[in-house]
Amino acid sequence: MRERGRAMEEKSDGGGSGMPEAARVAAGLGGVLGPLRRAVLRATRNAEGLPDLPEAQIELLRALSSSPEGLSPGVAATRVRVAPSTVSNLVRTMSAARLVERVRPEHDQRTVVLTASDEARHLLERYDRASSAALTRVVEDLSDADRAALSQVLPALDRLVTALEAADATTPGQ
């Protein structure tokens, strides 16, 4: 891990690669975000002995938990940014695990509304607590300079997410 960090520093310091700065930053982010996301999820699961839920299931549960009235499968697919068939497959698996409930509204028995079960909401709370605790422990062990750098980059990362989502929303075929 330390070697990857040094390699990233060498790449980002303008090391004469001839690559424009934006391309270097993009390549660095692309190389670190996936491993970071997986490391946080692994540390979270290990810290609490949590089940090995795939990231797509966690994202769907977050979307459903943020909508107490429930979501139609189509709206859930849009929120999670996956195909409706993917939501159908996730819901089938997650219903069997008692994480998602399918409810037929009384006003229209032809439709289905998806909700996160109480068990799923409790599980997400545990994931969030464990994730915060795991990250806090690791961040506390970093140098003051690294903590300051991470703190300083957070607003830029928020803006990056917003820009990516806006670009994705305007991409034809989405």
Side-chain angles (χ1 to χ4, degrees):
M1 191 70 174
R2 296 253 185 244
E3 291 164 9
R4 183 182 352 189
R6 273 189 232 106
M8 294 296 295
E9 287 172 17
E10 289 168 10
K11 284 183 185 177
S12 66
D13 71 358
S17 69
M19 187 184 281
E21 181 183 9
R24 275 195 314 277
V25 170
L29 280 170
V32 78
L33 290 178
L36 174 63
R37 190 180 68 248
R38 287 187 298 276
V40 169
L41 197 51
R42 201 171 30 254
T44 299
R45 288 176 182 143
N46 292 341
E48 281 281 314
L50 291 162
D52 189 11
L53 293 180
E55 202 168 331
Q57 287 186 15
I58 293 171
E59 288 181 38
L60 180 57
L61 288 177
R62 286 200 188 289
L64 295 176
S65 293
S66 70
S67 299
E69 70 283 356
L71 299 173
S72 72
V75 170
T78 301
R79 289 248 181 110
V80 182
R81 297 182 180 265
V82 297
S85 60
T86 300
V87 167
S88 294
N89 291 332
L90 289 169
V91 168
R92 185 173 28 262
T93 302
M94 296 167 75
S95 292
R98 296 186 320 265
L99 297 174
V100 171
E101 297 170 352
R102 295 178 183 136
V103 179
R104 293 208 180 272
E106 289 194 22
H107 68 279
D108 186 355
Q109 291 289 301
R110 296 170 297 164
T111 62
V112 171
V113 174
L114 305 173
T115 60
S117 69
D118 289 339
E119 183 177 338
R121 281 191 272 284
H122 176 69
L123 195 57
L124 280 176
E125 288 171 8
R126 288 180 58 206
Y127 265 93
D128 289 345
R129 273 194 317 272
S131 177
S132 290
L135 282 167
T136 297
R137 281 191 303 276
V138 172
V139 170
E140 284 174 341
D141 289 342
L142 294 176
S143 69
D144 290 344
D146 281 348
R147 278 194 307 278
L150 287 171
S151 179
Q152 195 168 19
V153 79
L154 291 174
L157 290 174
D158 267 344
R159 290 188 298 274
L160 178 62
V161 169
T162 300
L164 285 168
E165 288 174 346
D168 189 41
T170 60
T171 302
Q174 294 294 316

